[in-house]
């Protein structure tokens, strides 16, 4: 059955996430594959361990950056289990789930068995849906898991204020990750939310809009850059936290903006560029799975130059 209001486990998870959000970026690790496309559990474990060594606020395995959409159920179990084992209770582990609610519930059961603390509910598959259907999707999933849920509005999922109020009343729904960057809409949602409801900035390359999100009450953000350059991600987070606008502006101008321009050269680069950058840093994460494609040789060369320059800004090396 779904958690009810005041459930001790849910309260513990929410508290852990809130504390983590104030302490560091939210880390979305990559899923490692061998060159033949099969899962590489050892590579995934090493990558997750390296991310955790930099003390992120929470770890989100098997989500968008972790290619959830490419994993079968057995692979998903391994990936989530590895994150749980490596985190060892130090930070919350929030696993991705998605598709229609029936399939999402199957992944939710696996995540719960693997020891995950909560679930990030990725946008459903393929179809457009009315607001009432978006609410029902979460209701159906919440009724089938004991894990707290963080809804993710992106793509075809966007909540209006009334639908949002309804999802905040679903037992077990504890937060919202936003990937639309519609700050007018997001401000309306934050004002309509219960006091203890969690919000995350889930925009692509979230650092670009971190200050704008913070201005409407959403300072916490996910960082794809943390998957390959935690030195840069942590330096930017510290600059925002400390009000060091000069450092933040320099990192945005010299690294993040060029990275976004490179990311926008081809569909899917939001994941495949991140994975390529991790390989450049010596991480054994392997290629992306189709339908994603690894960067072209020219784009990889530009990525290497940009990454070296970005690391130099924070006193690190490729």
């Amino acid at each position: 059955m779904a958690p009810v209001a005041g459930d001790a486990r849910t309260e513990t998870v929410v508290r852990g996430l809130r504390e983590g959000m104030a302490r560091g970026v939210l880390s979305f690790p990559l899923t490692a594959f061998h060159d033949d496309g099969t899962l590489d559990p050892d590579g995934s474990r090493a990558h997750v361990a390296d991310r955790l060594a930099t003390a992120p606020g929470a770890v989100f395995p098997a989500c968008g950056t972790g290619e959830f959409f490419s994993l079968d159920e057995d692979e998903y179990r391994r990936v989530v289990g590895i994150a749980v084992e490596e985190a060892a209770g130090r930070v919350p582990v929030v696993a991705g789930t998605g598709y229609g609610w029936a399939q999402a519930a199957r992944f939710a059961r696996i995540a719960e068995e693997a020891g995950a603390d909560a679930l990030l509910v990725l946008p459903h598959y393929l179809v457009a849906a009315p607001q009432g259907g978006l609410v029902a999707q979460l209701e159906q999933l919440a009724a089938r898991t004991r894990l707290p849920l963080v809804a993710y509005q992106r793509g075809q999922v966007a909540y209006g204020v009334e639908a949002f109020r309804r999802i905040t009343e679903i037992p077990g729904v504890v937060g919202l990750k936003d990937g639309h960057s519609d700050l007018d809409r997001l401000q309306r949602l934050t004002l309509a939310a219960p006091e203890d409801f969690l919000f995350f900035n889930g925009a692509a390359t979230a650092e670009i809009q971190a200050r704008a999100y913070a201005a409407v009450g959403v300072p916490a953000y996910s960082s794809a850059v943390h998957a390959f350059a935690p030195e840069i991600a942590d330096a930017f987070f510290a600059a925002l936290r400390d009000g060091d606008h000069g450092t933040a502006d320099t990192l945005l101008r010299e690294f993040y903006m060029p990275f976004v321009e490179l990311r926008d050269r081809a569909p899917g680069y939001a994941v495949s560029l991140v994975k390529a950058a991790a390989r450049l840093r010596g991480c054994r994460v392997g290629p992306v799975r189709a339908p994603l494609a690894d960067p072209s040789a020219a784009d990889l060369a530009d990525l290497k130059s940009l990454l070296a320059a970005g690391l130099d800004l924070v006193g690190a090396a490729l």
Side-chain angles (χ1 to χ4, degrees):
M1 62 182 294
V4 297
D7 178 82
R9 178 177 176 177
T10 300
E11 291 176 355
T12 298
V13 171
V14 170
R15 183 168 58 251
L17 283 170
R18 191 177 302 282
E19 292 172 355
M21 288 156 49
R23 184 178 63 247
V25 300
L26 305 178
S27 180
F28 285 67
L30 299 157
T31 297
F33 299 118
H34 295 292
D35 288 342
D36 64 0
T38 57
L39 184 69
D40 179 0
D42 292 338
S44 286
R45 187 178 296 278
H47 178 66
V48 170
D50 286 347
R51 299 317 98 189
L52 287 166
T54 66
V59 61
F60 289 67
C63 293
T65 306
E67 297 179 76
F68 165 77
F69 48 84
S70 291
L71 302 176
D72 68 26
E73 293 180 8
D74 290 338
E75 292 169 333
Y76 176 83
R77 186 185 303 274
R78 295 290 300 278
V79 168
V80 175
I82 285 168
V84 170
E85 291 164 8
E86 292 300 318
R90 289 176 290 167
V91 298
V93 175
V94 184
T97 190
Y99 306 113
W101 62 259
Q103 188 66 21
R106 290 175 63 90
F107 282 102
R109 285 193 295 273
I110 294 169
E112 185 170 354
E113 291 166 359
D117 297 299
L119 295 165
L120 177 65
V121 185
L122 303 172
H124 63 270
Y125 172 68
L126 188 60
V127 297
Q131 292 288 290
L134 299 180
V135 175
Q137 163 87 341
L138 288 176
E139 289 175 333
Q140 293 288 347
L141 179 56
R144 290 165 172 80
T145 180
R146 293 187 60 83
L147 295 181
L149 305 178
V150 175
Y152 190 2
Q153 63 169 12
R154 188 178 187 134
Q156 69 269 40
V157 176
Y159 299 103
V161 171
E162 182 54 37
F164 174 74
R165 286 197 179 103
R166 290 173 61 191
I167 71 168
T168 67
E169 295 170 355
I170 300 171
V173 176
V174 302
L176 177 75
K177 182 181 179 184
D178 175 74
H180 282 296
S181 304
D182 181 340
L183 297 181
D184 179 279
R185 177 193 293 264
L186 187 59
Q187 181 71 91
R188 295 168 191 267
L189 300 188
T190 61
L191 293 173
E195 184 176 355
D196 60 347
F197 202 75
L198 301 174
F199 284 92
F200 310 87
N201 166 4
T205 315
E207 287 90 345
I208 289 287
Q209 300 183 71
R211 285 188 289 204
Y213 269 80
V216 296
V218 185
Y221 60 90
S222 59
S223 175
V225 170
H226 189 269
F228 63 86
E231 305 95 329
I232 298 173
D234 289 345
F236 184 81
F237 180 88
L240 285 189
R241 179 196 61 204
D242 300 339
D244 183 355
H245 298 298
T247 296
D249 285 345
T250 296
L251 289 171
L252 288 171
R253 185 181 304 110
E254 302 298 326
F255 175 76
Y256 283 101
M257 287 177 62
F259 181 75
V260 167
E261 292 171 1
L262 182 56
R263 183 201 71 199
D264 290 345
R265 288 184 186 177
Y269 267 18
V271 176
S272 54
L273 268 186
V274 171
K275 212 164 197 183
R279 292 195 300 272
L280 288 172
R281 300 297 307 280
C283 297
R284 198 181 83 187
V285 293
V288 292
R289 273 184 174 172
L292 297 179
D294 289 318
S296 68
D299 290 344
L300 187 60
D302 289 345
L303 175 64
K304 185 174 183 179
S305 296
L306 175 59
L307 180 54
L311 289 167
D312 186 61
L313 289 172
V314 296
L318 186 60

